[in-house]
Amino acid sequence: MTKLFKNIKELIQVRPAGIEKVSGAEMKTLPTLKNAWLLVKDGRIADFGEMDNCPDIKVEEEIDCTGKMMLPSWVDSHTHLVYAGNREQEFVDRINGLTYEEIANRGGGIVNSAKKLQETSEEELYQQTEQRLKEIMQLGTGAVEIKSGYGLTTEAELKMLRVIKKLKENYPITIKSSFLGLHALPPEFKNDREAYVDKVVNEMLPKVAEENLADYVDIFCEKGYFTIEDTHKILEAGQKHGLRGKIHVNQFNAIGGIQAGIEHNALSVDHLEVMREEDIQALKNAETMPVALPSCSLFLSIPYAPVRKMIEADLPVALATDYNPGSTPSGNMNLVISLACIKMKMTPEEAINAATINAAYAIELSETHGSITKGKVANLLLTKEIPSYGFLPYSFGSNHIEKVFLAGKALS
Ligand code: NIG
Ligand code: FE
């Protein structure tokens, strides 16, 4: 299959091979080619250049892109896409004055979702999740990480991960999965956290690894959820099974989760709404990607991750949605990029780098995704006619994507 895109107004995020991520001041630069062409062959980016040198070759399809821009598709490195039902009632409770914490303390929150999920069949769960997956693909996401964590029993956690596995097989979007058994304490373990941690580490994780159901391990390291000690345990156990950590830290409190993650060479530390100077310093020169989730801050009315400080400290930053029923019922990366600019003061260049190449790093896909690079998977966004790429975050809430191509094939 060969496809030639011609007269692309601007081809965005054009990089040579070998760039894994961009950090600090480098994030301000977004390399582009104006008036460009791009050739897709067998699902990969075969070549690209300026229209002056457009190859005169026979292709199966030629697409005129006059006035339109092309970008690599978004990478969403943190979602909880598999869940049953919704938590609309808690949303209303919060409007009426309850906090996220108060709702969780009275049996709502994650355990509420777990109860619903345990009662839902695998088939039904697949169908509900599939709708959300289709939705985010249309919104321009070409690679996504999906977590378990609303099961909280061995059976229900495995059910979630099997749903993810089936989606991997059936959809053209690239999917990575994380085992998040330590998401919340199930009510039956209310007075024995250690017994639940033991069950997750010694019973669930070996089964998950045996069935090859996860790429990573995760934990909600937070006051009232799981401790630093638990974090060490799960990251260490994950490492034994070849699964690196991608962990929830510093959402409401800074308790040392970042340092624990770095100690075990976690792939990413996510949330980061509450950051002490020492947390920022700890991330310097680490291989761990800091991931900010601004639509979670919007939905819960909590602080935004201080990404300006992080970038000034020469760190890389990635952006993700956190799509889940409790804290972020939205999988819209376009909105995330707008919020990053509006609320966290990232420039459009920084936000696009954070949602593409750095996000790809956060799920070990930098070699194949996250930039317009020869040989990478042809996961591409073609915009409508827009004046500049800065218009994407500026004109927030509108859909500026005309067509999405995954492995070179247009989504219908
Ligand atoms: O990333 N913080 C932990 N987990 C999810 C929210 C879970 C929920 O409320 O259902 C998050 O925000
Ligand atoms: Fe999350």
Side-chain angles (χ1 to χ4, degrees):
M1 192 268 299
T2 48
K3 210 173 256 183
L4 182 61
F5 296 91
K6 287 171 93 169
N7 303 313
I8 304 165
K9 180 169 169 176
E10 195 162 0
L11 185 60
I12 294 154
Q13 187 63 307
V14 171
R15 301 262 179 195
I19 295 183
E20 289 192 294
K21 60 179 173 183
V22 286
S23 308
E26 290 168 357
M27 288 187 70
K28 274 213 172 351
T29 304
L30 183 66
T32 72
L33 278 184
K34 290 201 170 133
N35 197 19
W37 57 271
L38 182 138
L39 178 69
V40 172
K41 219 185 239 173
D42 301 326
R44 298 268 170 169
I45 299 169
D47 208 351
F48 54 86
E50 287 167 349
M51 279 310 288
D52 297 349
N53 312 309
C54 187
D56 188 14
I57 49 168
K58 247 193 135 38
V59 288
E60 274 147 85
E61 194 183 352
E62 212 175 89
I63 299 171
D64 176 46
C65 306
T66 302
K68 301 167 188 171
M69 311 222 165
M70 181 170 271
L71 302 96
S73 61
W74 310 131
V75 176
D76 190 351
S77 70
H78 180 142
T79 81
H80 308 247
L81 212 66
V82 185
Y83 58 83
N86 63 63
R87 304 227 300 272
E88 235 182 277
Q89 185 51 50
E90 293 180 7
F91 171 56
V92 176
D93 291 342
R94 279 197 303 107
I95 293 170
N96 288 325
L98 284 184
T99 65
Y100 183 76
E101 197 184 2
E102 283 163 349
I103 290 168
N105 288 344
R106 61 169 201 187
I110 297 165
V111 297
N112 181 2
S113 286
K115 190 164 174 288
K116 288 194 176 94
L117 189 137
Q118 287 163 12
E119 291 161 359
T120 305
S121 72
E122 187 170 319
E123 188 51 38
E124 170 63 25
L125 194 57
Y126 178 86
Q127 281 164 13
Q128 289 188 23
T129 308
E130 183 177 44
Q131 296 312 316
R132 291 187 279 268
L133 191 73
K134 285 184 192 163
E135 182 204 355
I136 66 165
M137 285 162 64
Q138 292 293 349
L139 288 167
T141 298
V144 64
E145 180 259 17
I146 311 177
K147 301 172 191 300
S148 71
Y150 289 122
L152 310 184
T153 64
T154 306
E155 191 194 338
E157 284 292 309
L158 291 173
K159 178 166 71 180
M160 290 185 78
L161 291 166
R162 287 189 192 119
V163 165
I164 302 172
K165 186 178 177 187
K166 220 193 271 169
L167 293 168
K168 278 189 196 187
E169 289 159 7
N170 294 348
Y171 282 88
I173 182 170
T174 308
I175 300 177
K176 295 277 184 123
S177 63
S178 301
F179 170 53
L180 175 54
L182 296 176
H183 196 192
L185 207 53
E188 56 279 21
F189 285 90
K190 214 170 126 205
N191 299 315
D192 201 352
R193 200 193 74 254
E194 279 178 25
Y196 183 63
V197 174
D198 186 62
K199 184 178 155 110
V200 168
V201 168
N202 296 314
E203 182 185 312
M204 295 191 200
L205 179 61
K207 287 210 170 96
V208 168
E210 192 189 324
E211 280 193 47
N212 221 348
L213 287 172
D215 300 294
Y216 308 110
V217 286
D218 196 346
I219 179 170
F220 188 14
C221 174
E222 180 60 58
K223 274 188 193 160
Y225 291 83
F226 296 99
T227 65
I228 294 297
E229 198 192 333
D230 304 334
T231 307
H232 283 297
K233 275 190 196 156
I234 190 72
L235 290 177
E236 211 169 284
Q239 275 172 319
K240 283 195 189 124
H241 291 284
L243 308 178
R244 282 174 81 185
K246 285 180 62 62
I247 58 177
H248 286 73
V249 293
N250 294 47
Q251 183 178 3
F252 301 106
N253 297 283
I255 59 171
I258 292 177
Q259 289 75 0
I262 291 169
E263 201 179 307
H264 296 279
N265 196 27
L267 182 56
S268 71
V269 283
D270 303 27
H271 270 290
L272 316 180
E273 288 86 345
V274 180
M275 291 289 271
R276 303 168 297 190
E277 186 53 34
E278 66 211 77
D279 299 322
I280 294 179
Q281 291 305 320
L283 281 159
K284 277 196 167 183
N285 304 316
E287 285 176 23
T288 303
M289 176 63 71
V291 180
L293 311 168
S295 42
C296 175
S297 297
L298 174 75
F299 192 71
L300 292 186
S301 303
I302 61 174
Y304 287 81
V307 297
R308 276 266 56 92
K309 278 193 192 159
M310 288 152 62
I311 293 172
E312 271 151 32
D314 209 26
L315 302 185
V317 171
L319 289 167
T321 64
D322 197 17
Y323 198 171
N324 76 74
S327 74
T328 325
S330 161
N332 190 339
M333 281 296 287
N334 306 285
L335 176 66
V336 163
I337 290 162
S338 283
L339 288 173
C341 296
I342 299 164
K343 304 300 280 188
M344 305 198 304
K345 306 286 178 227
M346 291 177 95
T347 64
E349 291 79 10
E350 288 172 333
I352 293 172
N353 277 319
T356 55
I357 190 72
N358 284 359
Y361 179 94
I363 45 175
E364 296 180 295
L365 288 178
S366 297
E367 263 179 46
T368 48
H369 294 69
S371 64
I372 302 292
T373 301
K374 273 191 220 174
K376 283 198 178 184
V377 177
N379 282 5
L380 307 163
L381 305 183
L382 185 64
T383 69
K384 295 176 183 165
E385 291 192 24
I386 53 170
S388 65
Y389 61 73
F391 197 77
L392 296 170
Y394 161 77
S395 178
F396 76 99
S398 295
N399 178 13
H400 300 294
I401 299 173
E402 182 169 283
K403 239 182 175 29
V404 175
F405 298 85
L406 294 184
K409 217 169 148 236
L411 291 186
S412 51

